[in-house]
């Protein structure tokens, strides 16, 4: 006898969501989705609510990124869903298994002009792996199963379902959903063997590992592959921290010599996009190891591009038994460049200046961050510096917006991180411009007792736009913000706490107060508006 579940659409949805390991929802109220709330309320299923739907989707994405399981945002019909589209798009670019469940105007009078009536599916289809309208109440569990299976199947990504009012409010009894079965893609073993041989026999090989290595739970296998073949590893995105600081094969500062001198570059679990010079590593041969055939770069002629489960691919590479070149000299040379870079960074992070330079903020922050702290970047130059100066000690602790580069992730990511880790330090690094997108959600954090520390690099400008525009035109427009604005007072007004810091000597004590406070706390650091992050390209 199969188990039955019964109730309204919300009850059926919740049963299916739980079968897939969803343990909370992020939402902003709307009558179209009340049955989902009712089901959660009856079952003591946590509901976290926000002040803008983008924060709900970003919170769900943080859960998905950090825990490698589905994150859920429930959005009301029409504007609720459209406000969530930048979040969905970010999740699409980041391969994050997010499910957005939307309310939807009633189907029975579709076209008559109901409140908030719009067909969401064509709007979200290009940025989701699965997008559908559930047309019958008894279809809800199966549709959730299809949506989540798509989201969790490599290459991962978001899914969307909307539920017409009468579908969600009606009752049915249906078979309980079975355990999820997520297909595993097997790479071509010949391609894997060729990639392993190319790496093992190269004179000067380099590995660059990205977010899908974390998302595919292949960190240990990456480390094993690097260690057996003795290959230096650079990381980006969620791959950061894959090799702990101090690991003899872990590198960050020697990227320029590594990539200009390498003869083989293996890029693993990340696209060959602008962050990696679009995969142009001439004269090196490029190996692109991806988690699904769809992720092979069309614009680069890779020497070989194995596509499949990254854990299995990397385990196979770690087991390579063929000929191997000694890379000790190559690694030693890069280590010297790495150490020189670290010395330069340490000087910048300790430098006294008035006004404070962003580097010093990170120098002080490094002293108070625990190894398992989650750091979140939301901003322009201030976050570029965070990427340079913060060194995640563990994988899965650094959240950046990813290649879509959407400002406004800060408070949503912070909420998802705090829900994931009730006892860790959660620290948001925010530009003052970025603050405008989500700071109102400090109220949501205060009200729901979700303490986080927010460090604003307050240069009074959209720095990453102002400096390049000045360089390009000799003038700038639409790039100024109010200088010295009291973002700490904003968070205080919302029920949290904070302070403004103008002198570098005051940074350390302020950060300690923030982490000890147990409430959402904003440290508003007035930073030098003349300081521009050094970039090779002016366009961001
Ligand atoms: C939603 C969104 N709007 C606009 C941009 C373009 N943009 C990228 S960085 C940036 C400036 C960010 O300024 P701020 O957060 O103050 O950081 P700063 O560069 O000053 O350190 C802008 C406007 C974007 N990436 N995302
Ligand atoms: Mg700024």
């Amino acid at each position: 006898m199969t188990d039955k579940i019964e109730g309204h659409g919300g009850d059926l949805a919740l049963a299916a969501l739980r079968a897939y390991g969803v343990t909370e929802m992020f939402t902003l109220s709307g009558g179209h989705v009340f049955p989902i709330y009712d089901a959660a309320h009856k079952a003591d299923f946590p509901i976290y609510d926000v002040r803008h739907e983008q924060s709900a989707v970003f919170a769900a994405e943080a859960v998905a990124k950090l825990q490698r399981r589905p994150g859920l945002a429930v959005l009301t019909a029409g504007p609720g869903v459209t406000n969530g589209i930048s979040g969905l798009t970010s999740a699409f670019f980041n391969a994050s298994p997010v499910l957005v469940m939307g309310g939807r105007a009633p189907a029975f009078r579709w076209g008559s002009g109901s409140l908030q009536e719009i067909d969401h599916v064509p709007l979200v289809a290009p940025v989701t792996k699965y997008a559908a309208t559930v047309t019958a109440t008894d279809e809800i569990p199966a549709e959730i199963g299809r949506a989540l299976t798509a989201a969790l199947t490599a290459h991962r990504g978001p899914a969307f379902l909307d539920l017409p009012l009468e579908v969600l409010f009606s009752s049915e009894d249906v078979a309980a959903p079975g355990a999820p079965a997520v297909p595993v893609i097997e790479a071509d073993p010949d391609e894997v063997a060729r990639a392993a041989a190319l790496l093992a026999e190269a004179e000067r090989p380099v590995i660059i590992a990205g977010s899908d290595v974390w998302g595919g739970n292949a960190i240990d296998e990456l480390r094993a592959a690097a260690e057996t073949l003795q290959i230096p590893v650079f990381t980006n995105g969620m791959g950061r921290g894959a090799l702990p600081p101090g690991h003899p094969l872990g590198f960050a500062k020697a990227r320029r010599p590594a990539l200009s001198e390498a003869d083989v570059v293996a890029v693993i679990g990340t696209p060959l996009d602008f962050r990696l010079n679009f995969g142009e590593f001439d004269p090196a041969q490029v190996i692109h190891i991806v988690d699904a055939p769809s992720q092979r770069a069309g614009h680069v002629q890779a020497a070989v591009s194995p596509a499949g489960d990254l854990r299995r691919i990397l385990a196979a590479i770690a087991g390579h038994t063929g000929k191997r070149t000694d890379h000790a000299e190559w690694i030693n040379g890069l280590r010297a460049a790495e150490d020189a870079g670290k010395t330069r960074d340490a000087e910048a992070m300790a430098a006294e200046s008035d006004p404070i330079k962003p580097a010093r903020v990170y120098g002080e922050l490094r002293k108070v961050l625990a190894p398992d702290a989650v750091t979140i970047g939301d901003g322009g130059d201030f976050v570029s510096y965070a990427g340079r100066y913060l060194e995640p000690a563990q994988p899965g602790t650094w959240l950046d917006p990813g290649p879509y580069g959407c400002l406004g992730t800060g408070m949503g990511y912070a909420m998802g991180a705090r829900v994931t880790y009730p006892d860790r330090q959660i620290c948001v690094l925010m530009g003052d411009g970025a603050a405008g997108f989500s700071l109102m959600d400090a109220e949501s954090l205060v009200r729901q007792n979700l303490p986080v520390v927010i460090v604003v690099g307050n240069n009074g400008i959209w720095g990453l736009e102002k400096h390049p525009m000045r360089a390009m035109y000799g003038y700038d427009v639409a790039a100024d913000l109010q200088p010295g604005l009291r973002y700490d007072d904003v968070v205080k007004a919302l029920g949290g706490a904070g302070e403004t810091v103008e002198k570098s000597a005051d940074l350390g004590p302020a950060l300690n107060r923030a982490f000890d406070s147990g409430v959402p706390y904003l440290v508003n650091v007035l930073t030098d508006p003349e300081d521009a992050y050094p970039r090779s390209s002016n366009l961001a």
Side-chain angles (χ1 to χ4, degrees), residues 232 248-249 251 326-339:
L249 295 169
F251 290 86
D326 180 30
H327 303 140
E329 205 178 312
W330 167 235
I331 292 167
N332 290 340
L334 293 180
R335 183 56 60 196
E338 180 79 12
D339 290 344

Side-chain angles (χ1 to χ4, degrees), residues 17 30 41 64 67 91 105 126 211 276 292 307 311 361 378 380 413 419 480 528:
L17 291 162
H41 176 72
Q67 301 185 45
S211 297
L276 296 177
R311 243 172 125 159
V361 180
D378 181 11
Y413 274 12
V419 166
D480 287 327
D528 186 357

Side-chain angles (χ1 to χ4, degrees), residues 379-382 405-407 431-434 437 459 461-465 481:
D381 281 357
F382 190 59
C406 187
L407 293 174
D432 53 335
F437 291 88
N459 54 6
I461 55 172
W462 299 98
L464 173 49
E465 307 299 349
L481 300 163

